[in-house]
Amino acid sequence: MSGITKNARELNQCLTKEERKLEKLAKSIPGFETREDAEKERLYRIKKITKAVRQNRHDNREQLPEIKKNQKTWRGRALRLRRRLMQCTIESPCGSAACPQCFRQHRLRKLAELEGLRKNRKAYRVVTLIYYDAMQERDALPAWNYNRFKERIYKMIKRAGFVGRIVGGFEMDFHDDIQRWMPHLHLLVPNEKKPLQVLRKAMRKDKNMQTRPGIVSRPMKMQKLRDFDKQVTYCFKGMWQELRSYEDGIGDRRTRKHRLPPALLAQALCKQDEIGFTGLTFTAGVRKRRK
C-alpha cells in the first residue's frame, strides 16, 4: 500500500490537526481533487519524467559537446526531481511545488487563508494578466530568470496604486502554434476602479500587444468573483498545459487545452520545483507564507 493511499482511519491518524481541517475543506468543495486523484497524478509525473529523460538522452547523442553537457545537467535535475516525487509520503512530504500531493495542500491552505473574502466577493475581481512580450522559446524555459520577471510584475502592481491586498498564482502554458511558453497570472484583485484602469493601460502597451502578427492579444481579462470556490481554486491550480489553436465554424481562432507531452511536462515540472510555492504565489499587501 502506498504511503499516501491509506484507508480513512489510517489516513486520519497520520494527519496533523491542520491537515484534518484542510481535508474537511476539500470535501466541501465540489470537484476538488482527492488524495487518490493526486496520487495518480504523482505516479503519472514520475513515469513521464522517466520517459522524457530517456528521450533527451537519445536525442542528444550526436550533439556538440557543449550542448550534450547542458542537456546532461538538465537530466540530472529531472532525475533528482523524480527521486523526490518517488519518496513523497503523508508522514514525510517532499515539499516540491511539482508534486501534486504537496501542491494540493498548498491550494487548500490558500483557500483557507482567503476564506474571509467569501462574504465580501463584490470587493474583488478575478484578473488574468498575460505577458506576451515575455514569451519564451520552447527550450529556453530551464534558463529563464523568473525572479527578474516577478520583480517586473511587482513594480507594475505598485505603480497602479492598489490599496487592498492582491493574491494569486503564476503559470506558464505552451502555445503549440508559435512554439512558445506564455507566462501569465491569475489574481484576486481589489475592485478599485482607478488602479484597475492604470493596470489595464500598462498591460496594453504596444510592447505587449504587438508580439503575434495576425492574432489579437488580450493581455488583461477581468471577471466578477461569483463562484468563490471554483474561481479562487483556479487561481492556484498549478497545472501548466499546452494550448492548441483551431478555427471554429465561422473562421475565428480558438484554443483548446491539453496535457503537456513528456518532454515539455518534464521541463515545466523542473521549473515549478525550482521556483517553489513562494515563487508561484503572487502576493502584494499580505504577509507571505514561508516556503
Side-chain angles (χ1 to χ4, degrees):
M1 180 180 292
S2 165
I4 290 177
T5 54
K6 300 174 181 287
N7 62 42
R9 185 173 180 179
E10 290 177 318
L11 176 62
N12 194 56
Q13 292 174 344
C14 292
L15 300 179
T16 64
K17 183 177 179 180
E18 182 210 18
E19 289 169 337
R20 285 194 289 271
K21 288 183 178 180
L22 294 179
E23 287 304 315
K24 186 176 181 179
L25 174 61
K27 291 178 181 178
S28 71
I29 302 173
F32 196 89
E33 70 268 21
T34 64
R35 279 187 175 270
E36 289 73 22
D37 294 333
E39 173 65 359
K40 290 178 182 178
E41 180 65 22
R42 183 180 72 94
L43 296 175
Y44 174 87
R45 293 183 183 186
I46 291 170
K47 180 179 178 180
K48 296 305 176 183
I49 290 174
T50 303
K51 183 175 181 179
V53 168
R54 289 174 179 169
Q55 187 64 46
N56 179 277
R57 184 180 293 116
H58 177 271
D59 292 345
N60 287 279
R61 286 185 302 179
E62 305 300 326
Q63 290 286 0
L64 296 173
E66 186 63 27
I67 296 176
K68 292 175 71 174
K69 181 180 178 180
N70 291 337
Q71 292 304 312
K72 184 177 180 179
T73 299
W74 178 83
R75 291 196 299 272
R77 289 176 57 190
L79 290 172
R80 286 192 294 273
L81 173 58
R82 184 186 69 165
R83 191 178 305 118
R84 289 185 70 181
L85 297 182
M86 292 175 69
Q87 295 173 345
C88 188
T89 65
I90 293 175
E91 298 88 347
S92 182
C94 68
S96 171
C99 174
Q101 289 286 2
C102 295
F103 205 94
R104 177 178 180 271
Q105 292 300 103
H106 169 69
R107 296 176 73 207
L108 287 169
R109 287 191 179 105
K110 298 313 298 183
L111 277 170
E113 290 173 10
L114 297 170
E115 185 64 26
L117 298 182
R118 188 182 294 273
K119 296 180 180 180
N120 197 24
R121 286 176 289 179
K122 291 183 179 180
Y124 271 80
R125 291 290 184 265
V126 180
V127 173
T128 297
L129 303 179
I130 305 174
Y131 292 84
Y132 299 102
D133 61 345
M135 291 186 295
Q136 298 297 308
E137 294 183 0
R138 178 189 175 96
D139 296 322
L141 188 60
W144 183 52
N145 190 330
Y146 171 71
N147 289 331
R148 186 180 300 168
F149 171 76
K150 193 171 185 179
E151 186 62 31
R152 169 190 171 186
I153 302 169
Y154 274 117
K155 290 179 180 179
M156 182 180 291
I157 294 294
K158 185 177 181 179
R159 292 191 194 104
F162 287 98
V163 176
R165 64 177 182 171
I166 296 172
V167 62
F170 166 78
E171 295 177 5
M172 292 279 271
D173 285 335
F174 185 78
H175 289 240
D176 180 68
D177 56 345
I178 56 175
Q179 292 289 292
R180 295 289 189 277
W181 292 96
M182 187 79 72
H184 60 281
L185 294 97
H186 300 293
L187 302 173
L188 291 172
V189 177
N191 186 18
E192 299 170 12
K193 186 175 180 180
K194 182 65 180 296
L196 283 170
Q197 290 175 343
V198 174
L199 181 60
R200 185 179 293 278
K201 184 178 180 180
M203 292 298 298
R204 291 185 62 83
K205 287 184 177 179
D206 287 347
K207 181 182 177 183
N208 197 35
M209 292 292 290
Q210 299 176 4
T211 56
R212 303 181 300 169
I215 301 176
V216 177
S217 296
R218 297 181 176 86
M220 179 171 166
K221 303 174 184 177
M222 186 165 61
Q223 298 176 323
K224 292 182 179 179
L225 181 54
R226 294 191 175 94
D227 188 330
F228 182 85
D229 289 330
K230 182 177 180 180
Q231 290 175 286
V232 174
T233 302
Y234 189 82
C235 286
F236 303 98
K237 62 184 176 70
M239 181 72 75
W240 297 11
Q241 297 173 297
E242 180 183 43
L243 267 66
R244 299 176 189 171
S245 62
Y246 68 98
E247 287 189 0
D248 62 15
I250 58 174
D252 289 335
R253 181 180 180 274
R254 305 289 183 184
T255 58
R256 289 195 183 97
K257 290 190 175 184
H258 298 263
R259 272 189 175 275
L260 289 167
L264 295 179
L265 176 61
Q267 278 194 42
L269 294 176
C270 285
K271 199 64 180 182
Q272 287 175 279
D273 179 63
E274 174 193 325
I275 294 173
F277 293 117
T278 301
L280 292 172
T281 304
F282 182 88
T283 55
V286 58
R287 182 175 62 85
K288 297 180 183 179
R289 179 183 177 88
R290 289 183 179 273
K291 182 177 176 180

